[in-house]
Amino acid sequence: MRNWNGKRSADGKEKKPIKYFDYSLLFLIIFLLCFGLVMLYSTSSYAGSNKFGDASYFVKKQLFATGLGIVGMYIVSKIPYRFWMKVSSMAYLAAIVLCTAVIFIGTEANGQARWLKIGPLSFQPSEFAKFAVIIFLATVIYKTPQKMGEFMSLVKIMAIVLPIVAVVAYNNLSTAIIILGIAVCMLFVASPKYSHFVLMAAAVGVVGVVFISFEAYRMDRIKIWLNPEAYEKGYQTLQGLYAIGSGGLFGKGLGESMQKLGFIPEAQNDMIFSVICEELGLFGAVCVILLFLLMIWRFMIIANNASDLYGALVVVGIMAHLSIQVILNIAVVTNTIPNTGISLPFISYGGTSVLFLLAEMGLALSVAKGIKFEVN
């Protein structure tokens, strides 16, 4: 695949530009959304009936957010993606302000103050922060591409990102890790010298150890991860592992999970992948992973053929967000890493999450529309 450059073909005929639209990516988005709603109903119907007297309670709320997200995706896909370069600094500052506001006036849920209440709706600013960081970093790197080989340039850019990472980490460490991961991935792609990232990784590792040791509950998570049977808080992890193990190769069948019947706390959120494994088995889990891999592959195609560096960087940021979140969620559910609250994109319950994920998908589709191909 090549970008249209206005040249003539070998036989002298003028090459005609053909605009591109990534229907494959659109299909994957729609399929994952539909699959997510089906699994969400299967996972949350018991909890919805018990807590709210409505088996469809969680699905209705997710469907409303998904509808808004699809409208947002359509609008964003129609906006020329370079427009976001103009508002990126404003979006980044707004994200810092909103995430700081959560610390002081945030609404608590499950013991964590991560939401801002706007009338009857709750809004999670950390999800907006991911979107803001992607467009902001893409702008910064796009304006100084020749300096990406300098170690100090990488340090300066990371220093710009650290304030929002620190603010989000105050009460949402998992999202802060994702934001930091997005920044590192975008810089890694833009930088010609990979050796710089060895030093960066070492520095992040040291800071991470210090940060974890400051709070006793963070150290407790490490202990629970190493030996979940010995701690009461290891209950959720163990029940998730039981669900995965009982699913076998092809699962018990859709809707037949036992662990979702109150054994896995808040199964519709971060632990929904364990219910997928129980109901659809290893086969279903592998299919879900393959769907995400196909989506990542589409992002790679779009980034590789984007009409300019800014578009490529934006799609790399979106790809990094999705990849990191999927990997961390599955790693938590399988107890590969310590338990922390990370949702499975498009599938876990969470209105703000699906809303901004779909906005990012619209942005990727907008970049894809800028790709032009040559035909004789």
Side-chain angles (χ1 to χ4, degrees):
M1 287 184 285
R2 295 177 295 166
N3 293 341
W4 179 64
N5 54 18
K7 294 181 180 178
R8 292 180 177 272
S9 59
D11 59 4
K13 293 181 180 179
E14 187 176 352
K15 297 178 180 180
K16 299 177 182 178
I18 293 182
K19 289 189 176 182
Y20 175 77
F21 186 85
D22 202 315
Y23 289 101
S24 299
L25 177 59
L26 183 62
F27 170 78
L28 288 168
I29 294 166
I30 294 171
F31 187 88
L32 277 169
L33 286 173
C34 293
F35 175 77
L37 290 170
V38 170
M39 287 309 307
L40 180 60
Y41 178 75
S42 174
T43 305
S44 67
S45 56
Y46 176 82
S49 297
N50 277 359
K51 293 182 180 180
F52 306 102
D54 182 2
S56 304
Y57 175 81
F58 291 102
V59 172
K60 288 176 181 176
K61 294 189 72 174
Q62 188 78 350
L63 191 58
F64 174 73
T66 300
L68 288 179
I70 290 173
V71 172
M73 179 177 70
Y74 175 78
I75 294 171
V76 173
S77 70
K78 291 292 183 182
I79 298 172
Y81 64 88
R82 290 178 68 88
F83 163 80
W84 300 102
M85 192 186 302
K86 302 174 184 177
V87 299
S88 60
S89 298
M90 191 185 307
Y92 181 71
L93 290 174
I96 292 178
V97 171
L98 289 171
C99 291
T100 304
V102 169
I103 298 173
F104 300 101
I105 59 173
T107 302
E108 283 195 18
N110 298 324
Q112 297 288 340
R114 298 177 179 176
W115 287 263
L116 286 179
K117 201 157 183 71
I118 305 172
L121 303 176
S122 293
F123 167 71
Q124 198 167 357
S126 59
E127 295 297 333
F128 169 64
K130 298 173 188 175
F131 181 88
V133 165
I134 290 170
I135 61 173
F136 176 70
L137 270 184
T139 303
V140 172
I141 296 171
Y142 175 75
K143 290 181 177 179
T144 57
Q146 68 280 2
K147 295 184 178 180
M148 286 300 103
E150 300 174 8
F151 180 71
M152 284 310 299
S153 294
L154 299 182
V155 172
K156 289 176 183 177
I157 293 174
M158 287 301 297
I160 296 172
V161 177
L162 285 179
I164 197 164
V165 172
V167 169
V168 172
Y170 183 82
N171 52 21
N172 195 341
L173 179 60
S174 55
T175 301
I177 291 171
I178 293 171
I179 292 173
L180 186 62
I182 291 170
V184 171
C185 287
M186 293 178 71
L187 288 172
F188 183 80
V189 169
S191 173
K193 294 184 179 180
Y194 299 151
S195 58
H196 293 162
F197 291 87
V198 176
L199 295 174
M200 193 178 294
V204 170
V206 171
V207 172
V209 170
V210 173
F211 186 77
I212 290 171
S213 62
F214 272 154
E215 293 287 349
Y217 78 90
R218 295 186 186 124
M219 289 301 298
D220 288 342
R221 284 187 178 182
I222 303 293
K223 295 175 184 176
I224 294 167
W225 168 56
L226 295 172
N227 191 11
E229 297 93 344
Y231 297 89
E232 184 180 348
K233 289 184 178 180
Y235 176 82
Q236 185 185 44
T237 298
L238 288 174
Q239 295 302 320
L241 292 174
Y242 294 154
I244 295 170
S246 64
L249 187 59
F250 295 105
K252 297 177 177 178
L254 187 63
E256 299 300 318
S257 168
M258 291 296 295
Q259 297 303 112
K260 71 184 181 185
L261 304 180
F263 294 100
I264 302 177
E266 302 291 334
Q268 71 276 4
N269 291 333
D270 309 330
M271 300 297 288
I272 198 168
F273 187 75
S274 63
V275 178
I276 293 173
C277 292
E278 185 178 7
E279 294 189 349
L280 305 181
L282 178 63
F283 176 79
V286 170
C287 286
V288 171
I289 293 171
L290 286 175
L291 284 170
F292 283 117
L293 287 174
L294 282 172
M295 184 172 279
I296 291 167
W297 173 64
R298 294 313 307 169
F299 288 142
M300 291 176 66
I301 295 295
I302 295 170
N304 190 51
N305 292 279
S307 59
D308 62 8
L309 177 62
Y310 180 72
L313 288 169
V314 164
V315 176
V316 166
I318 295 169
M319 180 176 66
H321 173 199
L322 187 83
S323 306
I324 293 168
Q325 197 155 325
V326 170
I327 291 169
L328 292 183
N329 176 269
I330 294 175
V332 165
V333 171
T334 56
N335 201 37
T336 307
I337 63 173
N339 198 337
T340 184
I342 297 175
S343 61
L344 186 62
F346 301 110
I347 299 175
S348 293
Y349 174 69
T352 310
S353 174
V354 75
L355 187 64
F356 282 104
L357 267 171
L358 287 172
E360 289 180 22
M361 297 304 108
L363 187 50
L365 290 170
S366 177
V367 175
K369 285 167 62 179
I371 299 173
K372 295 176 183 176
F373 299 102
E374 302 169 348
V375 293
N376 293 335

